Amino acid sequence: MIKSIPLYAFLFSGICFLFGTSKFDTMSASNYNIIPYPRLLIPQSGSFTFNKHTTVYCPFDKPEVLKLAQQFSAQMELVSGLKLEVKDASKAKGSNVVIFETTDKDYTSETYLLSISPGGIKIRAAAANGFFYGLQSLYQLLPPEIYGKKTATAVKWSAPSAEIKDAPRFSYRGLHLDVCRHFFPVEFIKKYIDAMAIHKFNTFHWHLTDDQGWRIEIKKYPRLTEVGSRRDETLLDYYYDRFPQQFDGKPYGGYYTQAEAREIVAYAKARFITVIPEIEMPGHAQAAIAAYPYLSCTQDSTIKVETKWGVFKEVFCPLDTTFRFLEDVLTEVMDIFPGKYIHIGGDECPKDRWKACPDCQAMIARLDLKDENGLQSYFVHHMERFLNSKGRKIIGWDEILDGGLDPNATVMSWRGTQGGITAAKAGNDVIMTPTAYCYFDKYQADPVFEPVTIGGYLPLKNVYNYEPVPTELTDDEAKHILGAQANMWAEYMPTSERVEYMAYPRVSAMAEVLWSSKKMRNWELFAQRMPKEFERYNQLGIEPSKAFYDVQFQSTITADRKLQITLVCDCPGAVIQYTIDGKTVVYKEPFTLSESANISAIALINGKQLGKTIAKPFTVSKLTGLTYTKNPTNTWYDGGKINALTDGVPGTEKTYDQWLGYGKGTDAEIVLDMLTVQKVERFTVGLLNAPAMCALVSPDIKLYGSVDGVSYQLLAGKQPVAPTSPDKVIVRPEMTFPAVDVRYLKLQLKNANYCPADKLENAPCSMLFLDEVGAW
């Protein structure tokens, strides 16, 4: 028989676990590779091994639980060849059993107990949700081949003994997918949901409408899919990569029929996931307007579905005809999606059309609204009242806070945490999804070696260390934080494979943020569990980013102004090798560079390279580590680094955090103090030429030198020829001159003061982007 450990043992062992021991940590990481990690796990000796005589018992009077037991038995038969008979729990006896046991205890619907011993396995829960999550933990304790689609040979089907009591920290555990910028087939949506379920997410936020495509069938308005689901072509590469922008010239489209949407809803429900549809309003409406021009303030029939990414002026006009249209749409949407929430967007709504619209201005006056922002608030309230009358609640991006909210509206805080803080203090429920931690369209590794993204940087460790509850909230206010959500915006995810690459392994980290107790989260132990997680990805057919196995370069300036290089890898136990000047050595500790160098590095895990080879250039000169003064002092952009020009790390075309950017039409002057008089005869500076964003190479560069910082002499001048390429290009002008003794160097760069008439940015003239200066 299976023996349960008494409650006092749970409590005592739980206290020991909270404080932790190295012995337990090692045992936990090597044997209990569960993600997200349980609230309480007490390791036990031994393991349970399945064989052809193992029997599954479950309550036949609980259809949902019976179905779960049958699914477990079927999967075991598929991958192991073992036929596990499923019998009614009332007949349970003996050992070598898997028992699904219902309990009348005061458990939440998602709570479960999982007991594993050499004699058998028992899952106890009060609801089907709990049994489902208990099964997910059991699956993860079995060999990764449990997730396969064929019989695995030479696999021992056993699970380590343990006593687990588990429940989620947050009630809302969300994952989002944008299917408007790029469309994904039904089979992939199901696969996406399967992976969510394994990681105990319970909400799928389905972004169904936007400027670039309307993706859900609405029977009363067939042109939404006949016209609105199709665009003429799609922007190629990154938005600012080249000027003029280039397009693929290929029509693009796709949408989900109502039958397919219902199929997805049912599929998710079977995995205890609620689907929340998002119908964007009043902004991000160009696809709908292309289908029905009367929905706009201009009623311009030439408007088409957008082919580029961004925010556009074509928005719903807040008139009765528009409200009737949206109410009709939402009526059909509610018939497909039975959950209590409907997401209405509410973000990024330009007011240009409303400002020029006589009807809108008359409405503002008639309703005694302050301005167009007040009109947007009126719009949101109108749709909220409609949905409330149908028994539904709204979720909206944090812009819906503008103008005030009804208390039953839920805010999705994306522009940082302030929206969530404001909403929670006002008594509104909140879902946290700040871009800094939850937008998985950002780079997850060194951008130079990654496929193009929207920009930014969000590595796995940063996701894992995210804390959804802002410290500014009291305990009572914090109760309004329902949870958090990771967002997959698909501008730069043209295929299902790219979505998975951008999602994983970061989704695994977010799963633990949302499920596991805050006290139990530990990056080092999570990292130890990740190699087994990658084995599971392989069985699931998921091709994740393997940046976990890449070497990360960290550069710092020492107190004596040396450039120090530190190499790290997220994977525990990785052996790092690096090559410099043609010599390959094993990395043991940080090292300094005495001259400029190109360094490449790999990480070996059990002698194998699983990640990429990462190569980085570094610049070392008389200026390395120096501070400098800027004129003007307030630059347009500095990447958040006070010594970006002298930190030894050259800028790249993929990211802007290394660049110093001077705003529109401004000339630049940099003064560097070398602290002592030194001989100089050569100088370089990096410049970015990016016509699409009006960042142009300086046409006139001058370098001056001084001994006292007062009297300067001209050392050299350069008139670089602007690149003719439409792409982003980095140029590094070099100035040589007779050797001269100086302490101070003054660099002056003229702004090109030019930007094409059809530029992408609203700059009256060009910007200057410069980086790494060097003197020898």
Side-chain angles (χ1 to χ4, degrees):
M1 292 293 290
I2 301 173
K3 294 182 179 180
S4 297
I5 291 180
L7 180 61
Y8 69 82
F10 267 113
L11 296 175
F12 178 75
S13 299
I15 294 171
C16 293
F17 178 81
L18 288 175
F19 286 95
T21 67
S22 58
K23 180 180 179 181
F24 176 82
D25 291 348
T26 302
M27 183 187 298
S28 175
S30 61
N31 294 328
Y32 303 95
N33 295 289
I34 301 175
I35 295 176
Y37 204 76
R39 177 172 293 187
L40 177 64
L41 186 154
I42 306 173
Q44 304 293 306
S45 59
S47 62
F48 174 78
T49 300
F50 288 84
N51 59 47
K52 62 182 181 180
H53 300 296
T54 303
T55 303
V56 178
Y57 291 97
C58 75
F60 278 18
D61 60 342
K62 304 287 184 182
E64 283 188 293
V65 182
L66 173 60
K67 184 176 181 180
L68 292 174
Q70 291 170 335
Q71 289 171 345
F72 172 72
S73 176
Q75 184 64 17
M76 281 295 298
E77 181 176 358
L78 173 65
V79 297
S80 71
L82 300 173
K83 296 183 178 181
L84 310 184
E85 187 177 1
V86 179
K87 295 183 177 181
D88 187 69
S90 62
K91 301 177 182 179
K93 61 181 180 179
S95 57
N96 195 17
V97 294
V98 178
I99 299 175
F100 291 72
E101 179 180 284
T102 57
T103 178
D104 295 328
K105 291 185 177 180
D106 187 21
Y107 287 1
T108 68
S109 64
E110 295 184 316
T111 299
Y112 71 91
L113 269 68
L114 173 60
S115 178
I116 303 174
S117 72
I121 296 172
K122 180 183 288 186
I123 304 174
R124 297 167 62 195
N129 310 45
F131 286 107
F132 182 80
Y133 294 133
L135 265 180
Q136 303 316 308
S137 292
L138 175 58
Y139 279 132
Q140 291 194 11
L141 291 173
L142 291 167
E145 288 82 0
I146 187 66
Y147 294 106
K149 296 182 180 179
K150 60 182 180 180
T151 302
T153 59
V155 174
K156 183 180 180 181
W157 292 101
S158 63
S161 296
E163 291 287 340
I164 296 171
K165 182 174 183 180
D166 199 12
R169 179 184 177 195
F170 292 105
S171 63
Y172 185 106
R173 305 180 300 280
L175 190 58
H176 155 286
L177 183 62
D178 164 21
V179 297
C180 302
R181 278 54 178 246
H182 285 100
F183 178 77
F184 306 105
V186 168
E187 286 310 306
F188 174 71
I189 303 298
K190 290 181 177 179
K191 183 182 179 185
Y192 194 74
I193 289 170
D194 282 338
M196 288 178 62
I198 289 167
H199 293 91
K200 301 184 176 78
F201 286 86
N202 66 356
T203 307
F204 173 42
H205 175 175
W206 204 2
H207 185 80
L208 289 166
T209 72
D210 217 301
D211 300 299
Q212 296 81 12
W214 183 284
R215 304 294 181 212
I216 181 71
E217 176 190 23
I218 302 298
K219 294 184 182 296
K220 188 170 184 177
Y221 298 100
R223 285 177 59 84
L224 286 172
T225 46
E226 292 171 359
V227 175
S229 71
R230 305 170 185 174
R231 57 178 181 257
D232 292 342
E233 57 186 358
T234 302
L235 178 70
L236 287 173
D237 302 319
Y238 182 57
Y239 190 91
Y240 292 116
D241 265 356
R242 59 177 61 89
F243 182 82
Q245 290 175 319
Q246 294 182 8
F247 297 81
D248 62 8
K250 301 175 183 178
Y252 187 93
Y255 68 93
Y256 306 97
T257 66
Q258 291 194 5
E260 288 173 328
R262 286 191 172 90
E263 182 182 344
I264 291 296
V265 169
Y267 192 87
K269 182 181 179 182
R271 289 149 184 80
F272 302 93
I273 292 172
T274 299
V275 182
I276 296 179
E278 181 179 1
I279 306 298
E280 277 272 20
M281 62 183 81
H284 290 288
Q286 190 164 321
I289 290 170
Y292 294 98
Y294 74 83
L295 298 172
S296 73
C297 293
T298 63
Q299 302 191 12
D300 182 355
S301 61
T302 66
I303 293 171
K304 293 186 174 183
V305 178
E306 189 51 64
T307 59
K308 297 190 293 189
W309 322 130
V311 178
F312 303 95
K313 297 178 181 178
E314 306 309 328
V315 303
F316 286 128
C317 201
L319 303 177
D320 289 343
T321 50
T322 301
F323 289 135
R324 281 196 296 272
F325 164 84
L326 289 171
E327 289 168 3
D328 290 341
V329 167
L330 290 177
T331 296
E332 292 194 31
V333 167
M334 286 186 285
D335 189 52
I336 301 167
F337 299 93
K340 66 179 179 180
Y341 290 117
I342 301 292
H343 201 303
I344 65 168
D347 62 314
E348 298 177 328
C349 179
K351 309 300 190 297
D352 305 66
R353 298 294 185 242
W354 292 359
K355 290 178 181 179
C357 170
D359 289 332
C360 294
Q361 295 305 308
M363 183 178 292
I364 290 172
R366 184 175 71 255
L367 298 174
D368 195 26
L369 303 175
K370 183 178 180 180
D371 53 20
E372 288 77 19
N373 289 327
L375 187 55
Q376 178 168 348
S377 180
Y378 171 79
F379 193 116
V380 170
H381 281 294
H382 180 101
M383 300 313 302
E384 181 179 16
R385 287 192 296 272
F386 171 75
L387 288 168
N388 290 166
S389 72
K390 305 298 181 181
R392 305 299 182 93
K393 294 182 177 182
I394 70 162
I395 299 177
W397 303 108
D398 55 43
E399 286 94 331
I400 69 171
L401 280 166
D402 300 338
L405 277 182
D406 289 337
N408 62 355
T410 299
V411 173
M412 197 164 267
S413 185
W414 73 280
R415 296 177 300 175
T417 60
Q418 189 55 54
I421 294 168
T422 300
K425 286 183 175 295
N428 289 89
D429 286 341
V430 176
I431 298 158
M432 299 300 291
T433 182
T435 59
Y437 297 99
C438 300
Y439 272 48
F440 289 5
D441 53 349
K442 296 184 177 185
Y443 288 108
Q444 55 193 315
D446 190 324
V448 173
F449 301 93
E450 290 293 296
V452 65
T453 75
I454 202 166
Y457 182 59
L458 180 54
L460 181 67
K461 188 174 183 179
N462 288 23
V463 175
Y464 189 83
N465 289 331
Y466 172 53
E467 170 48 45
V469 180
T471 57
E472 294 88 341
L473 300 180
T474 66
D475 289 346
D476 284 341
E477 291 166 346
K479 293 176 183 177
H480 288 289
I481 305 297
L482 302 181
Q485 173 176 288
N487 295 327
M488 303 297 298
W489 297 106
E491 288 93 335
Y492 300 101
M493 302 180 200
T495 64
S496 303
E497 292 78 11
R498 183 66 59 80
V499 171
E500 290 182 341
Y501 180 89
M502 297 299 291
Y504 289 92
R506 291 185 288 191
V507 164
S508 301
M510 183 59 74
E512 196 143 306
V513 169
L514 298 178
W515 180 279
S516 302
S517 164
K518 182 179 179 180
K519 293 180 180 179
M520 306 306 259
R521 279 166 48 202
N522 179 292
W523 163 255
E524 286 73 24
L525 294 181
F526 174 78
Q528 290 179 38
R529 285 179 273 127
M530 279 306 299
K532 188 65 68 175
E533 181 83 334
F534 276 93
E535 293 183 41
R536 290 193 281 261
Y537 296 152
N538 182 56
Q539 292 294 326
L540 291 164
I542 292 172
E543 290 291 339
S545 163
K546 293 184 179 178
F548 181 76
Y549 299 110
D550 289 349
V551 175
Q552 301 166 36
F553 284 73
Q554 299 172 355
S555 59
T556 55
I557 303 296
T558 64
D560 57 351
R561 291 181 39 236
K562 300 291 186 182
L563 180 58
Q564 179 173 283
I565 307 299
T566 302
L567 304 178
V568 298
C569 178
D570 285 342
C571 183
V575 175
I576 297 174
Q577 293 181 350
Y578 68 97
T579 302
I580 183 170
D581 295 330
K583 181 180 179 182
T584 300
V585 296
V586 174
Y587 175 80
K588 294 181 179 179
E589 60 185 1
F591 56 92
T592 59
L593 296 177
S594 58
E595 59 183 8
S596 299
N598 292 305
I599 306 173
S600 63
I602 62 171
L604 299 178
I605 291 83
N606 297 324
K608 295 182 179 180
Q609 180 182 350
L610 301 180
K612 296 185 288 292
T613 299
I614 306 298
K616 303 279 285 184
F618 295 95
T619 300
V620 177
S621 79
K622 296 178 183 291
L623 307 181
T624 302
L626 289 176
T627 57
Y628 45 84
T629 59
K630 302 174 291 187
N631 183 29
T633 55
N634 295 321
T635 56
W636 179 78
Y637 180 80
D638 67 1
K641 299 183 178 180
I642 61 172
N643 64 335
L645 298 182
T646 59
D647 63 359
V649 183
T652 74
E653 299 96 333
K654 281 287 195 80
T655 182
Y656 301 115
D657 63 349
Q658 280 296 133
W659 294 93
L660 192 65
Y662 279 86
K664 303 155 182 181
T666 305
D667 296 335
E669 181 179 275
I670 306 293
V671 178
L672 302 110
D673 180 0
M674 295 191 293
L675 306 179
T676 61
V677 174
Q678 302 182 49
K679 195 175 294 296
V680 176
E681 59 184 1
R682 183 163 63 95
F683 184 92
T684 63
V685 59
L687 300 173
L688 177 67
N689 196 77
M693 57 186 295
C694 297
L696 303 181
V697 167
S698 170
D700 187 16
I701 305 173
K702 287 185 172 60
L703 180 69
Y704 297 87
S706 171
V707 173
D708 58 9
V710 178
S711 300
Y712 283 88
Q713 61 174 315
L714 179 65
L715 301 181
K718 196 85 171 180
Q719 289 78 43
V721 177
T724 57
S725 170
D727 299 337
K728 283 190 293 188
V729 176
I730 294 175
V731 297
R732 300 192 184 279
E734 181 175 297
M735 292 177 278
T736 57
F737 42 88
V740 59
D741 291 322
V742 294
R743 173 176 171 175
Y744 298 91
L745 291 173
K746 180 189 292 183
L747 177 66
Q748 292 182 342
L749 303 98
K750 287 285 186 183
N751 193 298
N753 278 316
Y754 166 75
C755 204
D758 51 353
K759 58 190 176 295
L760 301 180
E761 288 293 305
N762 297 318
C765 44
S766 64
M767 298 177 286
L768 271 173
F769 272 75
L770 56 150
D771 186 40
E772 212 57 29
V773 293
W776 296 266

